[in-house]
Amino acid sequence: MVRLLLLLLLFYPLQAAAQEVRFEASIEPASVALGEHATLTVRISGTESSFPDPQMPEVDGLILQPAGTSRHIEIINGRFSSQVAHTYLAAPTRAGRFAIPPFRLRLDDTLYTTEELALTVTPGVSVPSPPSAPSENSAPAAAGRLLFVEAEASPRKAYVNQPIHYVFRLYHGVQLRGNPRYEPLDTTGFISRDLEQQAYTDWVDGVRMSVSQAETVLFATAPGKYSLGPTRIQCEIDPYSMFNLLADVDTGDLTLAGRTKNLETRPIEVEVLPVPAQGRPESFTGAVGQYTLRGYLDREKVKTGEPVVLTITVEGQGNVEMIDDIKLPPFPGIQAYDTESQSTMGDEVRGKKTFKTTLIPTEPGARVLSGIRFAYFDPEAEKFEELSIPDLELEVTGPLAAGRAAKTASKPPSPEDTPPAISEQGLRHIHTGGRLSRERQLLRQPVFLIVLAIPLLALGAVYGKEWLARLRHGQEPLWRRSRALATARSHLKKVADYAAIPQAVHSYLADRLNLASRGMSLRELRQALASRGVSEELGRELTGLLEVAEGARYGPGDPRSAAAAKDRPAELGRKAAELLRKLEAVAP
Amino acid sequence: MMRIVLLLLLLLAAPAPAQEDYEKANTAYSKGRFSEAAELYRKLEAEGYRDAELYYNLGNAYFELKDLGRARAGYERARQLAPRDADLAHNLALLRTELRDNEPDPGALVRLAALFTENELVFVSSLFYFLAAGLALAYSRRRNEGFLWGVAAALVCLLFVGGLLLCQKLGQPGRPAVVIPQTVHLKNGPGREFTDSIPLHAGTLVQALRQQGDWREVAALERVKGWIRSEELDVLD
């Protein structure tokens, strides 16, 4: 890819700008253990199209080995700039502090130098863990390939239960189609924990490559020699990617695109040592790592027989899930019961395990819980460490626990224990002579519940009626108005003589239309009705009916039609009711 | 008519089969045949008899048989019906001295409520309720302020007695229950596969909480919760 870009540059006229050269060096990390290596990078940048290689200094006890060169060229608005990075691996052969003299670069009779670099090498215990050599299918990038894998394990010599980091990386400078099929590491003999996968880019021999990294933490369960891997992966190279075509030209691998590639790492040998048998503290239960210990009681003051919970937390780096119960020493006057534990692991190889034990004091007095210890083996320091919780104070009040508390304090109860003996003369005799009954709960008797409801109903009736009356009184006009037709029809239905008809009609007009019609002439009444929106025809019908009723009431009777006359008020009443119904419909 | 009355009197006078069994059980107990007595008492209980004396005697029979769990259950049931019975209080106190687990103090109000039966509290509450309702009705007839004060006083009394009743029914987190086996380990979950928690012993009063399959969660010794098989527990309804 870089070569192609260099070729492209030939087609552009170059105008050399003022000579601007930067020459600098850096090393990372600045401190390594013996057996590890640091990466030293020398960067040259400027407007030249090419730079000579820098002169490498010699350092006693440090091997500097070239590990590749990367070039980067930019043309922005016709302005040319380039950058070259030379990478060296700095491998110390002894511990100590190294001063790496400046690198030199001679360019057009000008000598450029970098600053002096420092590297500290500690004796350490780390075992060198260079990247595993790729297999046939996974040639390294140095060989000019754009797709390869590597794996590394650290440390390669570990103790049982010590975390071993196994890192697998897939480098690809070509576009892949779909997700590669990853065959996980065989972790037989280990407890494994996969950490979060990472994806990033990295420069390898001047080529920018995508890196997919999978990391697994392994805890060996038994000593011995183990082989980690090979780890296999299958990827398909995208045949349609222009990028891949260009990449093929660069690498000369014309058959790369569109092919499925099977890659695998070489197995890595690791040696697992047993935790030393000598110097093991009594409280050691197999924990390996670096931990802290703390504990507390949920109460400081209890009565005899009351439970109190002792919480112990172990936290730190290592496989906390493998930590067994913490052995508690005997606490005089306190019965300790079984322990519950709960562990949580963090993102890294850190975790926390909490042990909760129920304690029941059986004797009163000031109690001190001491001697709670936890030991672990520190693989880095290669020695055992023992932690202890500061004394916990518990004040126990009250009498001795009931029954045989004192006995149970020294010996855990078991199902085989016989029941306690009954006092010789304490038990009082049975009751006799009574008649058996089936005493029932009152609250479950329906009759009782019904009786309970009676006062509520009575109160509701009395106060409800009172409330309604008060409501009616407070809204009398509205009440009368709403009830006007019903009242008038009720009166007209049982009308016995002509006098009742005008009375009912006038009452209706007063209630419904708020019209004092009793003293009005029929003409005035018609006018008043018209002013309230009642049609003239309906007004005339109503006044006509009132005229008939008043006439019949005060006019001379016809003895021949006495029987017919008896029926006429009822008929007239029905007519009046019909008229009032019509009036109701049109009244405002 | 006279004949019918006589027949009814004869029927009432004749001992019912259950009563005969009860007397047989009492006789068996008096003669030291506690197992037989306990069986007969249990039979009567299964027939639906809910009697303080029956439960007391049943508790005694089991106490004699050294079955503290069932004895405690009998006494507790008797106490619900006759909470102020002196003999019962004595025997229950005696049984408590034999218990191996300490039970928490339920609190003054619950202890006060336990001095009365549920029916007593319901009855007295009802009396105050009727009194308050009657006074309120009287006030509707004659607007005398004295009636209102009477209503207020009756309601205060009703609240107090009703509160005791609530304490009795709801004062504990669950339903009272008695541990039956001599020793049983609470489990940390509803199954044998869960780890053991603290052990409980026969006769310990616990609070029965939720049920899950054949397992029941209980609150014991004030602050400890765990699971126990339902058959190892006698829940006092």
Side-chain angles (χ1 to χ4, degrees):
Chain A
M1 181 70 167
V2 175
R3 288 179 195 171
L4 184 71
L5 286 170
L6 283 169
L7 284 171
L8 287 171
L9 288 174
L10 296 175
F11 296 98
Y12 287 88
L14 297 177
Q15 288 186 340
Q19 192 91 333
E20 289 174 12
V21 175
R22 290 182 68 188
F23 184 50
E24 53 196 10
S26 61
I27 189 163
E28 196 176 359
S31 175
V32 293
L34 188 62
E36 294 178 339
H37 64 261
T39 304
L40 196 157
T41 307
V42 179
R43 289 188 182 81
I44 315 163
S45 59
T47 52
E48 290 286 328
S49 58
S50 63
F51 298 102
D53 289 341
Q55 292 173 14
M56 190 170 63
E58 281 189 8
V59 187
D60 184 28
L62 194 67
I63 299 169
L64 289 176
Q65 188 177 1
T69 305
S70 69
R71 288 186 172 81
H72 180 74
I73 298 167
E74 273 184 349
I75 303 164
I76 300 170
N77 295 330
R79 188 180 170 85
F80 178 91
S81 67
S82 68
Q83 180 181 314
V84 179
H86 297 271
T87 307
Y88 304 86
L89 286 179
T93 56
R94 61 174 170 81
R97 187 175 165 79
F98 294 91
I100 303 170
F103 280 73
R104 292 160 179 264
L105 176 73
R106 187 168 291 278
L107 188 65
D108 295 336
D109 297 332
T110 308
L111 181 66
Y112 297 91
T113 55
T114 62
E115 286 182 356
E116 190 178 89
L117 300 173
L119 175 68
T120 306
V121 180
T122 56
V125 291
S126 298
V127 178
S129 56
S132 65
S135 66
E136 287 177 3
N137 284 335
S138 58
R145 305 292 286 270
L146 291 176
L147 184 65
F148 67 97
V149 291
E150 70 172 25
E152 59 185 79
S154 173
R156 292 202 180 174
K157 189 180 272 186
Y159 288 93
V160 169
N161 239 339
Q162 182 185 350
I164 298 170
H165 290 259
Y166 180 84
V167 183
F168 169 82
R169 293 189 194 94
L170 166 68
Y171 289 82
H172 58 98
V174 290
Q175 294 277 31
L176 300 179
R177 188 157 69 177
N179 289 325
R181 270 190 290 175
Y182 173 63
E183 192 179 301
L185 177 72
D186 178 12
T187 57
T188 307
F190 296 89
I191 292 168
S192 69
R193 233 181 122 239
D194 290 329
L195 300 186
E196 198 173 338
Q197 290 193 5
Q198 292 179 30
Y200 55 92
T201 56
D202 196 7
W203 287 91
V204 182
D205 273 359
V207 179
R208 188 180 172 86
M209 301 191 84
S210 298
V211 185
S212 301
Q213 177 176 304
E215 186 171 358
T216 306
V217 182
L218 303 162
F219 301 93
T221 53
K225 288 195 172 177
Y226 295 88
S227 176
L228 299 176
T231 305
R232 297 184 178 87
I233 196 163
Q234 190 182 64
C235 349
E236 192 178 347
I237 297 153
D238 191 347
Y240 304 109
S241 168
M242 182 59 75
F243 179 80
N244 288 355
L245 290 174
L246 291 173
D248 291 346
V249 172
D250 266 357
T251 60
D253 187 356
L254 295 170
T255 57
L256 192 62
R259 282 180 53 191
T260 298
K261 299 289 284 183
N262 292 307
L263 307 169
E264 67 176 46
T265 62
R266 279 187 185 161
I268 301 174
E269 301 293 328
V270 292
E271 186 181 358
V272 177
L273 306 169
V275 174
Q278 283 184 338
R280 284 188 184 192
E282 239 181 74
S283 58
F284 178 73
T285 57
V288 176
Q290 286 103 27
Y291 298 99
T292 59
L293 179 73
R294 62 178 191 275
Y296 64 91
L297 292 170
D298 68 337
R299 291 193 287 182
E300 292 173 348
K301 197 173 177 181
V302 288
K303 291 178 186 167
T304 51
E306 281 182 353
V308 57
V309 178
L310 168 65
T311 304
I312 300 170
T313 304
V314 178
E315 187 172 6
Q317 194 160 5
N319 188 10
V320 292
E321 285 167 352
M322 290 287 287
I323 298 174
D324 285 339
D325 283 353
I326 291 182
K327 293 173 191 168
L328 293 178
F331 303 125
I334 294 174
Q335 177 72 43
Y337 291 101
D338 297 319
T339 300
E340 278 183 66
S341 64
Q342 191 175 17
S343 58
T344 49
M345 289 292 285
D347 292 338
E348 298 299 327
V349 195
R350 286 189 65 81
K352 183 165 83 171
K353 191 158 189 176
T354 304
F355 303 87
K356 289 192 173 185
T357 307
T358 302
L359 306 174
I360 298 186
T362 52
E363 291 172 24
R367 305 278 158 203
V368 177
L369 279 66
S370 58
I372 303 170
R373 291 189 176 86
F374 167 74
Y376 64 88
F377 179 72
D378 184 343
E380 289 186 7
E382 295 191 316
K383 64 175 185 180
F384 291 97
E385 296 283 351
E386 187 170 48
L387 308 171
S388 63
I389 293 173
D391 291 354
L392 302 170
E393 291 179 1
L394 179 68
E395 189 182 339
V396 184
T397 58
L400 273 173
R404 301 184 302 170
K407 192 192 282 184
T408 56
S410 57
K411 180 172 79 74
S414 69
E416 290 74 37
D417 285 352
T418 52
I422 297 170
S423 302
E424 287 177 9
Q425 50 187 1
L427 194 66
R428 291 193 183 168
H429 199 60
I430 56 166
H431 293 173
T432 55
R435 288 195 70 83
L436 278 181
S437 66
R438 297 173 193 263
E439 188 163 326
R440 291 184 169 85
Q441 289 162 288
L442 278 175
L443 282 176
R444 292 187 184 175
Q445 303 302 312
V447 176
F448 180 74
L449 296 176
I450 291 168
V451 171
L452 280 186
I454 290 172
L456 273 186
L457 293 173
L459 281 173
V462 170
Y463 284 97
K465 194 177 167 188
E466 204 171 288
W467 177 75
L468 274 177
R470 200 172 298 139
L471 185 72
R472 187 178 159 184
H473 181 72
Q475 297 179 328
E476 187 64 26
L478 188 66
W479 176 265
R480 276 171 46 207
R481 189 175 161 161
S482 65
R483 300 283 307 156
L485 183 65
T487 309
R489 288 174 80 166
S490 163
H491 289 155
L492 289 171
K493 198 178 277 183
K494 48 192 177 187
V495 69
D497 53 31
Y498 290 108
I501 294 169
Q503 200 176 340
V505 171
H506 286 305
S507 293
Y508 173 81
L509 292 174
D511 289 350
R512 182 70 178 84
L513 302 175
N514 201 20
L515 185 64
S517 58
R518 279 182 203 283
M520 288 182 180
S521 68
L522 293 176
R523 190 178 168 195
E524 283 170 342
L525 179 57
R526 270 201 302 276
Q527 284 173 349
L529 287 171
S531 71
R532 282 166 170 78
V534 178
S535 69
E536 196 178 329
E537 188 188 345
L538 187 57
R540 195 173 290 121
E541 273 188 70
L542 192 68
T543 52
L545 183 129
L546 286 173
E547 196 174 9
V548 170
E550 295 290 355
R553 184 180 171 191
Y554 296 112
D558 183 358
R560 286 173 298 179
S561 59
K566 194 180 176 185
D567 292 335
R568 284 202 64 190
E571 190 186 328
L572 207 59
R574 277 196 293 277
K575 196 174 174 186
E578 181 61 24
L579 278 175
L580 292 186
R581 195 186 58 76
K582 285 182 185 170
L583 194 59
E584 180 77 12
V586 298
Chain B
M1 183 65 180
M2 279 298 288
R3 283 181 192 170
I4 295 172
V5 171
L6 280 172
L7 195 64
L8 281 174
L9 284 172
L10 276 173
L11 279 173
L12 285 173
Q19 191 66 31
E20 278 182 14
D21 283 347
Y22 181 55
E23 278 156 19
K24 271 188 204 167
N26 288 347
T27 308
Y29 180 93
S30 299
K31 291 185 175 174
R33 302 198 303 269
F34 303 122
S35 294
E36 184 189 337
E39 278 300 308
L40 284 167
Y41 291 137
R42 288 297 295 269
K43 181 170 166 269
L44 292 166
E45 187 192 8
E47 285 172 12
Y49 286 95
R50 194 168 175 272
D51 186 271
E53 196 176 289
L54 170 69
Y55 286 133
Y56 169 77
N57 293 353
L58 177 66
N60 264 16
Y62 278 124
F63 205 168
E64 294 285 10
L65 290 167
K66 300 178 184 177
D67 188 340
L68 292 187
R70 291 188 175 84
R72 178 76 186 269
Y75 286 152
E76 288 295 337
R77 286 196 170 93
R79 197 162 67 98
Q80 288 177 347
L81 301 172
R84 298 180 296 280
D85 185 292
D87 290 343
L88 171 62
H90 174 86
N91 286 0
L92 192 53
L94 191 65
L95 184 142
R96 281 206 185 104
T97 64
E98 302 297 334
L99 297 181
R100 292 166 56 173
D101 301 320
N102 262 20
E103 290 169 5
D105 184 356
L109 261 183
V110 175
R111 269 187 280 128
L112 178 63
L115 289 176
F116 306 96
T117 67
E118 181 191 318
N119 280 357
E120 284 169 350
L121 291 175
V122 170
F123 182 73
V124 176
S125 301
S126 306
L127 281 185
F128 286 120
Y129 164 69
F130 281 111
L131 182 63
L135 289 169
L137 283 172
Y139 180 74
S140 74
R141 294 266 174 181
R142 288 174 59 186
R143 303 281 167 169
N144 187 331
E145 204 175 295
F147 288 135
L148 281 184
W149 282 110
V151 170
L155 286 178
V156 169
C157 294
L158 173 62
L159 277 177
F160 177 70
V161 183
L164 283 184
L165 184 62
L166 282 178
C167 267
Q168 200 180 66
K169 303 293 279 181
L170 310 171
Q172 299 289 328
R175 294 157 68 188
V178 177
V179 176
I180 298 300
Q182 290 300 330
T183 303
V184 60
H185 277 81
L186 286 185
K187 292 278 182 183
N188 286 317
R192 286 188 186 282
E193 67 275 19
F194 289 93
T195 53
D196 282 350
S197 177
I198 62 165
L200 291 178
H201 302 94
T204 299
L205 194 67
V206 297
Q207 297 295 317
L209 308 173
R210 62 198 160 130
Q211 175 99 27
Q212 195 167 317
D214 294 336
W215 291 79
R216 185 119 200 182
E217 190 183 28
V218 295
L221 312 179
E222 190 177 18
R223 291 157 61 88
V224 178
K225 278 187 183 177
W227 293 82
I228 186 171
R229 283 196 302 152
S230 300
E231 65 191 35
E232 294 170 328
L233 207 61
D234 191 347
V235 181
L236 310 171
D237 288 315

